[in-house]
Amino acid sequence: MELLAWLLYGYQVLVLYYFAVLNFLYATFALFGLRMVARYARELSELSLKDLLEREAYLPVSILVPTYNEEKTISASLPSFLSLRYPLFFFIFVFDFPIPLPLPLL
């Protein structure tokens, strides 16, 4: 019985070390991949991004902006919407006003 307990204990330790090494490898690969992505992002110049956006393959984009009680802050956020660098885009502002309940049945 004591031999079985030692075998089970050894198996548990083996599984623990296996998953510890596996998680260490996952973390190492993730950090290496993050470093490579950061390097690629630095190498991607502003001009190549501009060239990509000026191609005619892009379709127009519609951006829905839901608002509720935004009378004071919508004027501050409007310039950031208009500063988008995309060939053709549309903004649809949806102003949501509270409706008193109960609604009349038609």
Side-chain angles (χ1 to χ4, degrees), residues 55-70:
R55 292 186 183 169
E56 302 215 5
Y58 286 96
L59 297 174
V61 173
S62 296
I63 300 172
L64 293 174
V65 182
T67 61
Y68 181 74
N69 290 336
E70 296 284 333

Side-chain angles (χ1 to χ4, degrees), residues 2-49:
E2 191 172 313
L3 178 64
L4 182 62
W6 276 103
L7 286 175
L8 287 176
Y9 177 75
Y11 178 72
Q12 289 176 354
V13 169
L14 181 69
V15 168
L16 178 69
Y17 284 132
Y18 170 76
F19 283 110
V21 168
L22 189 65
N23 285 326
F24 175 74
L25 287 174
Y26 285 158
T28 303
F29 292 146
L31 289 175
F32 180 71
L34 182 63
R35 197 176 95 202
M36 295 301 290
V37 167
R39 182 184 301 166
Y40 176 75
R42 278 194 304 268
E43 291 173 359
L44 187 64
S45 69
E46 189 74 26
L47 293 176
S48 64
L49 181 61

